[in-house]
Amino acid sequence: MVLLIAGASHTGKTMFAQKLLEKYHIPYVSIDHLKMGLIRSGEIPLTPENDSELCLALWPILREMIKTVIENRQNLIIEGGYIPFDWKKDFDAHDLSAIQYVCLVMSSSYIKRNFSDIKKYACVIENRKDDSACTLPALLEENLENLRLCQKYGNRYILIDQDYQSDLTFDALF
């Protein structure tokens, strides 16, 4: 089984993957690690700010990793923001039966009520050197757009609206 965890920046994708690793002993790959490895190695002429170009560069690699995991009947969690919302088109019915997808989405009211905590917990798993791009308007816009795209493509999402811990349940995934 492959579990894809998508979502806007600061929604807790990496923390969620880490907690799933601890509970179910399923390893995970952070797309950010792959991204930074390619950028720092000079293999791609992009920067961390080139989101759309990074998605185009990373998705073919991730797609084939997913197919390899399925072929080998292994389990893997892949988390990150570079999973296209139309990801299903790249897999046949057999592969799709082995993939679960969830997008973490924070409601506008949740973001407005908890913005200072969202910023405070930004480095709970990963060390963010520059978090200046995380502004209230940017977070609101990105989460609204992710919700819209999840609904457009029929993708599963978890809406974080009241309490982060109780809204983000792990057992509902399996």
Side-chain angles (χ1 to χ4, degrees):
M1 185 233 9
V2 176
L3 174 59
L4 304 176
I5 302 173
S9 179
H10 293 74
T11 54
K13 298 175 297 292
T14 307
M15 183 195 66
F16 191 47
Q18 179 67 37
K19 290 189 179 286
L20 289 167
L21 165 73
E22 292 168 5
K23 183 168 183 168
Y24 297 106
H25 308 287
I26 299 172
Y28 75 88
V29 170
S30 169
I31 299 173
D32 281 345
H33 293 166
L34 178 60
K35 168 187 79 174
M36 292 311 297
L38 288 168
I39 290 171
R40 288 178 174 169
S41 70
E43 291 298 315
I44 56 175
L46 300 172
T47 68
E49 291 76 34
N50 300 120
D51 282 341
S52 58
E53 295 93 341
L54 283 164
C55 190
L56 290 172
L58 293 168
W59 180 244
I61 297 165
L62 294 164
R63 179 190 65 222
E64 298 309 314
M65 286 173 58
I66 292 165
K67 290 177 181 179
T68 302
V69 169
I70 293 168
E71 286 170 3
N72 289 299
R73 296 184 189 99
Q74 295 171 321
N75 297 313
L76 183 64
I77 299 166
I78 298 176
E79 65 84 12
Y82 300 100
I83 301 168
F85 287 92
D86 63 347
W87 64 273
K88 293 177 195 170
K89 71 176 176 34
D90 292 326
F91 299 96
D92 62 26
H94 173 264
D95 290 343
L96 287 171
S97 70
I99 301 170
Q100 290 193 45
Y101 171 100
V102 66
C103 185
L104 306 184
V105 178
M106 293 176 174
S107 72
S108 295
S109 60
Y110 180 86
I111 294 168
K112 289 173 186 173
R113 282 191 322 270
N114 297 286
F115 184 69
S116 62
D117 283 342
I118 292 167
K119 291 282 285 187
K120 182 170 82 175
Y121 293 111
C123 294
V124 72
I125 298 289
E126 295 176 323
N127 184 19
R128 297 173 190 264
K129 291 183 179 182
D130 179 12
D131 201 30
S132 61
C134 181
T135 63
L136 181 60
L139 210 54
L140 289 166
E141 180 182 336
E142 189 177 4
N143 277 271
L144 279 173
E145 181 65 3
N146 282 3
L147 178 59
R148 185 187 74 74
L149 290 169
C150 280
Q151 292 170 340
K152 175 181 177 179
Y153 289 101
N155 289 329
R156 184 174 173 198
Y157 60 90
I158 295 174
L159 185 64
I160 301 161
D161 186 49
Q162 297 300 317
D163 174 67
Y164 191 89
Q165 296 300 326
S166 59
D167 286 344
L168 195 59
T169 60
F170 307 123
D171 295 326
L173 293 174
F174 302 104

